[in-house]
Amino acid sequence: MLQQRHRLPMEDISNSMAWLARDDQSVIVGHGPFQEVREISRGQPAFYIRDFATPAGGAWKLPSATECLPLEEFRTRFPVTPFHCEWNAPDAGPFSTVFQEVMEAIRGGLFEKTVPVVVERGTAENPGPAIMAAMTRQVMPLRSYGWVDGGSGFAGATPELLLSLSGSRLETMALAGTAKQEDREVFAVDEKEIREHEYVAQTLVSKLQNLGHPVRQQRRILDVGTIVHFLTLIGIDLDREETPSKLVDLLHPTPALGPLPRTKETLGLLQQWRSRLGCPEQFGAPFGVWDGERFDAVVAIRGIWWNAHEVLLPAGCGIIEASRLVNEWRELRLKRDSVKRLLSKI
């Protein structure tokens, strides 16, 4: 059982902290300073924070103190703060160039799917408190997460669970395919979006087959406000004990954020495209917490990164052979706008 702590002053909370909300609307909070380690023990709470392409080694961060409390209580520590940001719309040119390179690689048989990322940049005065206040007020199906270190950090509210491990039971999901809420009926029968989703679902089932008998639920539509996604839940009772790090390496990145097939070469190319487009290294990476009895890891999307006055809002889009440049550019804006709405409704 994690230690319950008294409420801390806001200046202490913001200095060095990590948190992750879980599906029962509890939140695990870690307070710094943090120690980075390669291995963890069963009774030792730890956060799993890494870059998108960095192997698992060194990803664990041990907090100086940890607490578990209702998300409703946690959010009261962050007073509602208006978010004022001067946004600069991204230039379509660099993405267009990357899109053409991706399509050439797909036609050449290197990829079936990959996920480049576009970043919208902005400037804001002391953006951290407003971003944290907004993200901690989100509820299921969005899971609030964040990492703060002095004047920099990132926080978001993601709909995508990478994995949840409790005992021998593992739960994961395929979340891919995106449309506007008003296009829900057409989206339900859109062959391109269904195909993109199936790449993810089938890959996850395939990767889990050596660990037991994965059970896949029926594909459905998940409503996350102004947008909708295809969602397939997948569960498995593991035949043998596996460490959280090994399970993360097995599943991450799924084709929802990574390349298909996933090889050293295809991951390297995706990382080059992400770097050229200015993507934060932790965007789309696993972000998790181990509390000694349970491990939960989400995919760090639908978030905002900040450093002093600079603000970054990344979004990715899955490209397959049937993709079209104008449609993908619209989807990227749709995803960024959905995050901006989280900041405006507090």
Side-chain angles (χ1 to χ4, degrees), residues 84-326:
H84 300 295
C85 182
E86 294 292 331
W87 292 106
N88 299 308
D91 182 359
F95 175 73
S96 176
T97 300
V98 167
F99 180 88
Q100 298 305 326
E101 293 175 12
V102 171
M103 295 304 291
E104 289 175 10
I106 290 175
R107 297 187 192 104
L110 184 61
F111 292 97
E112 290 186 73
K113 178 180 187 282
T114 196
V115 187
V117 177
V118 166
V119 179
E120 186 168 355
R121 297 174 179 271
T123 303
E125 184 71 27
N126 191 25
I131 295 170
M132 290 186 282
M135 297 309 177
T136 56
R137 281 165 171 76
Q138 306 309 313
V139 297
M140 289 293 292
L142 299 177
R143 295 172 172 85
S144 175
Y145 66 92
W147 164 253
V148 183
D149 187 10
S152 65
F154 59 89
T158 176
E160 188 167 358
L161 176 73
L162 180 64
L163 70 95
S164 181
L165 177 67
S166 180
S168 62
R169 181 66 180 175
L170 183 149
E171 304 283 348
T172 185
M173 66 167 60
L175 189 78
T178 305
K180 294 180 180 179
Q181 173 67 254
E182 57 264 35
D183 295 331
R184 182 188 182 108
E185 292 185 6
V186 175
F187 173 69
V189 293
D190 188 311
E191 292 185 3
K192 182 266 181 184
E193 299 292 341
I194 292 173
R195 190 183 320 159
E196 181 181 339
H197 179 83
E198 286 301 307
Y199 282 148
V200 181
Q202 291 172 14
T203 298
L204 285 170
V205 170
S206 177
K207 286 184 175 296
L208 291 171
Q209 283 180 340
N210 290 333
L211 302 181
H213 179 64
V215 177
R216 171 183 169 173
Q217 296 187 19
Q218 186 175 359
R219 183 183 70 245
R220 63 184 177 89
I221 293 177
L222 178 69
D223 185 338
V224 285
T226 58
I227 59 179
V228 293
H229 302 289
F230 282 128
L231 168 68
T232 297
L233 299 177
I234 301 166
I236 182 173
D237 293 312
L238 302 177
D239 287 342
R240 58 185 182 275
E241 185 175 352
E242 297 286 353
T243 66
S245 295
K246 287 184 178 180
L247 291 170
V248 169
D249 280 349
L250 175 68
L251 298 179
H252 171 78
T254 76
L257 267 295
L260 181 68
R262 190 180 86 190
T263 66
K264 184 176 180 180
E265 181 181 9
T266 59
L267 271 173
L269 276 174
L270 176 57
Q271 192 64 4
Q272 289 179 30
W273 288 321
R274 284 168 56 106
S275 178
R276 281 165 52 186
L277 294 172
C279 178
E281 293 181 339
Q282 303 91 353
F283 176 75
F287 186 99
V289 64
W290 169 254
D291 69 3
E293 300 176 353
R294 170 179 167 181
F295 177 67
D296 291 275
V298 298
V299 180
I301 58 174
R302 303 295 195 276
I304 293 185
W305 276 248
W306 71 89
N307 184 17
H309 302 303
E310 183 183 31
V311 177
L312 304 179
L313 173 49
C317 62
I319 298 178
I320 64 175
E321 189 174 11
S323 297
R324 297 295 178 265
L325 176 61
V326 65

